[in-house]
Amino acid sequence: MNTMHSIAASLVLAMACLCASAQEAEAPLGLDDFAYSMAIEPGTASPVQTVLIPPSVYQALVRSDLGDLRVFAADGSQVSHAMRRLDKDRTVTGKSLDLKLFPLTRSAAESPDDDLQIVVKRSDNGKVVSVSTQDNAPNDPTELRVVGIVADASGLEHPIQTLRFKLAPTDKSFELPIQIDTSDDLSSWSATRRKKTLSHLKNEDKLLEQLDVSVEGITEPYLRITWGDESPPTEITGIEAVLQDARVPADVQGIELEGTADPENPRRVLFDLGSNAVPVDRVTVIVPEKNTLLGGRLDTSDLPDGAYRTLHRGTFFQLVVDGTTDRNATVKLSRTNQRYWRLVADEKGAGFGASIPSLRVEYFPDQLIFLAKSSGPYTLAYGSSRAKPSSFTTREIFADFPAGLQDDLPVSSARLGPAVVRGGEAARIPPPLPEPSKLPTVLLWAILIGGVGVLIVFVWKLSADLRKPTDTRG
């Protein structure tokens, strides 16, 4: 009986080994399994790095879900990453910047009611290098007193919400009324004067300060702060501008494609985006000839010879009136990833004319987010017929990070280097399916037949043992 059990167990083991050998383990992907790569240079010390996917990467990918994209560390290991589409407006938190200050002085003989005459000196490139109230300073500096400050706020990207004044240390208590004027050119100043008060009050060991001044969104590049007759008892050492939070619209990137006339139909122009991974959220037909108008439609397909579906019908034109060029509008679409496009002109009208229209496709870019193991270098690899999706969701990536980190990420903290050929276009082409081998089938049938034979012998031997007479001698 034990022998029969051993034979049956051996048969089961043989069948398991046969099935395991029929499924070869797939080797992990390396850089040479991808068509191209780009070096990634992290721009900050943050553990979370970001980079926008450029058009050339989209055009080399195989999968429309961007699943054949990987990030590799210097040791060749893959790095955890996620993708997110930047299709929503974002709020940029206002920065704080120190302004360049120019003190304004006047002699003791001048009346406080006299208008300040400002003298400005600029560099060759137009940058302000000095601001004063007199061409020639008096011989005795003690005859001058500081009556104000000009602050250079040029170059700021967003309006100023608050001015934060910085004072030299002092034990004196004071309240200083100030007024703030603004100018675009340092020659004419706004008539609307903002009157505020700075306070520095000490009571025994307690200090009450009000040095932040709300200015309600100043956009002018120059500010003049004056305090009239009463001078501050301590020096104003700096002014920090706190900018307003800004609502930044979602960025749109685009690719312009040259069309090819369809040899089978002169009223059709064909466009190839290069890959089904190229996203399209907007599209513009560009008519090259002046004063040309045509009606038509835009069709798309996954295959060059496949079935096309119509996405838009309309009129496309370029009209020049009194030197002003007017063109057809950009068409907004629900995101599509079809690789092949065609423009079909209506039968009425003259068609395309002597020149072939081009096509501009636009999209909200995808942001690659990856976790930096070290300072790098890192490599972005893309374009592989073997790769399967392996990215995390942004929720998974940020699960253990501080709240709000995801919203504060820069659009692109890292820089991409030039494209490097790895496996080339061959890596994007799926390998031919291997012809099924008959050997595993033959072996499987042989094992099954052998197993049935062993089972028959086992049953026959068992029944023979049961038919033997029982020895009752006792």
Side-chain angles (χ1 to χ4, degrees), residues 17 65 70 74 94 116 155 189 235 297 317 366 453 458:
C17 290
D65 60 5
R70 297 288 190 276
L116 286 171
W189 296 87
E235 180 186 2
R297 70 177 192 268
F317 58 88
D366 292 282
F458 177 74

Side-chain angles (χ1 to χ4, degrees), residues 2 9 27 31 37 56 63 68 77 80 110 126 130 172 206 235 269 318 323 327 332 334 372 374 402 422 424 442 472:
N2 290 336
L31 282 173
S37 70
S56 59
R63 301 180 60 93
D68 54 318
S77 62
S80 300
E110 291 179 280
S130 72
K172 298 180 179 180
K206 295 181 180 179
E235 180 186 2
V269 176
Q318 180 190 166
R327 296 180 181 274
K332 296 182 179 180
S334 298
S374 62
R422 294 289 181 173
V442 173
T472 59

Side-chain angles (χ1 to χ4, degrees), residues 273 278-285 296-302 307-314 316 330-344 359-362:
L273 272 62
V278 178
V280 180
D281 297 306
R282 304 175 182 178
V283 63
T284 308
V285 174
R297 70 177 192 268
L298 278 172
D299 303 335
T300 61
S301 176
D302 289 322
Y308 280 77
R309 67 187 183 99
T310 299
L311 289 184
H312 175 73
R313 292 179 180 273
F316 313 108
T330 296
V331 179
K332 296 182 179 180
L333 305 169
S334 298
R335 173 161 286 201
T336 182
N337 288 89
Q338 276 74 36
R339 170 176 176 174
Y340 299 97
W341 291 65
R342 71 182 182 191
L343 173 63
V344 183
L359 188 72
R360 178 174 175 81
V361 297
E362 296 178 338

Side-chain angles (χ1 to χ4, degrees), residues 29-53:
L29 296 175
L31 282 173
D32 290 339
D33 294 307
F34 294 84
Y36 308 98
S37 70
M38 291 180 177
I40 305 176
E41 180 184 346
T44 65
S46 171
V48 182
Q49 296 291 323
T50 59
V51 67
L52 288 184
I53 302 300

